Amino acid sequence: MEWTHKHLLGISDLTRDEICYLLEKANDFRTFLDKSPKYLTNLRGYFLVNLFFEPSTRTRVSFEMAAKLLGMEVINFSTSLSSVQKGENLRDTVLTLSQMKVDVLVVRHRESGVPLYFAGFLPFHIVNAGDGIREHPTQALLDLLTIKRKFGKISGLSVAIIGDILHSRVARSLCIGLTKLGNSVVVSGPVTLVPRSIEEVGAKIVFPVEEAIQEVDVVYLLRIQRERQEAGYFPSLREYSAFYGFSEETRKLLQGNFVLMHPGPVNRGIEVASELVETPFSLIQEQVTCGLAIRMAVLDTLIGSD
Ligand code: CP
């Protein structure tokens, strides 16, 4: 396939064939990751900068590791030690990086649209590592890869996404990706956190949660963001856990062979019972490894298209 996108800004920009192409390439990298020593030289001589204005473990470290596995050099830009602290604005910060001739900028920002803004004037590749409540494309791709490897296919499946849909870029990107590939998606959670607008990206809203998760292949739990409780979206974390958390009792209500997924970080004991995180039907750990494979595929594809 001839790759025509300079940047990865959202799943919404990709066609079904482009998503499948990235999944195929990432599947090969996922197999490669089980071997040692792990070292490729595909992208030797290229430089990647991780520019994260929000905390991250999985995304930031896996982009760093993916780049290094492909032979790239990596700079982790520390916003707390940078001239951002002296009041330098976003535009001047990235223009400065641009003059240092970096090749790829991986950016996470609390405001939706920042990666699109950068793509408008920067000459190098921009990868969106999560922008506000808009998109988290590599998360959706890694989730699709995890599902594909588990079920041996990535269409015709049913997925329930549970939790804070309103503020979740993960839910938006995943809904878009799943529906583009011909899967059905239901969403559920507290009524205050499930907006009607999610239907625009192909999801069906089902209340209560117990009904939404019946007869699905994947139960996908979202992280509850603690600050939401303070904003009054639900009464207390204990109540959230009791009514929307996935417990052993919930599992017993379900029939069929479903799997449990979560983008991380997990609030053990809130959205999911701690003892279920590492069970055989949980893919939460495998999602992390698939994340590394996906980020290798994305970097290899974007730079390979130059
Ligand atoms: N899922 C996810 O984006 O995790 P991090 O915030 O740790 O990167």
Side-chain angles (χ1 to χ4, degrees), residues 37-216:
K38 293 181 267 299
Y39 183 63
L40 298 170
T41 54
N42 307 27
L43 303 183
R44 191 152 63 186
Y46 289 95
F47 280 75
L48 178 145
V49 173
N50 268 327
L51 181 62
F52 280 60
F53 290 92
E54 279 187 339
S56 168
T57 297
R58 277 145 285 270
T59 314
R60 191 185 61 74
V61 175
S62 63
F63 264 113
E64 178 172 357
M65 197 162 163
K68 287 182 172 171
L69 284 166
L70 293 165
M72 295 179 78
E73 301 290 335
V74 178
I75 292 145
N76 286 307
F77 184 95
S78 166
T79 49
S80 62
L81 294 176
S82 74
S83 290
V84 170
Q85 298 303 323
K86 296 185 234 164
E88 188 163 45
N89 68 24
L90 265 184
R91 189 178 181 93
D92 288 335
T93 300
V94 292
L95 280 175
T96 303
L97 297 174
S98 175
Q99 287 309 115
M100 295 181 196
K101 307 298 178 190
V102 307
D103 299 291
V104 181
L105 184 71
V106 179
V107 59
R108 171 175 288 188
H109 201 281
R110 65 184 173 282
E111 299 293 339
S112 302
V114 166
L116 285 77
Y117 168 62
F118 287 169
F121 64 93
L122 291 173
F124 44 77
H125 302 281
I126 309 294
V127 181
N128 180 4
D131 65 323
I133 58 170
R134 200 186 71 88
E135 279 242 31
H136 190 348
T138 55
Q139 179 69 46
L141 289 167
L142 78 86
D143 292 333
L144 294 172
L145 178 64
T146 310
I147 294 169
K148 181 176 158 74
R149 287 175 62 85
K150 177 67 185 176
F151 291 92
K153 61 179 184 176
I154 190 55
S155 58
L157 297 167
S158 56
V159 179
I161 305 177
I162 309 300
D164 180 0
I165 309 291
L166 179 63
H167 302 98
S168 178
R169 56 196 176 209
V170 171
R172 253 183 70 78
S173 288
L174 185 57
C175 282
I176 295 168
L178 283 167
T179 52
K180 273 193 183 184
L181 296 180
N183 301 285
S184 66
V185 186
V186 295
V187 296
S188 194
V191 176
T192 48
L193 290 173
V194 182
R196 283 276 154 212
S197 59
I198 196 70
E199 291 174 336
E200 290 162 20
V201 291
K204 183 178 167 199
I205 297 172
V206 175
F207 295 120
V209 169
E210 290 72 20
E211 195 177 319
I213 60 179
Q214 285 302 330
E215 294 178 32
V216 293

Side-chain angles (χ1 to χ4, degrees), residues 214 246-255 258 276:
Q214 285 302 330
F246 196 95
S247 64
E248 182 58 25
E249 288 66 44
T250 326
R251 188 184 73 81
K252 284 182 187 149
L253 291 176
L254 298 185
Q255 287 146 19
F258 74 96
L276 298 182

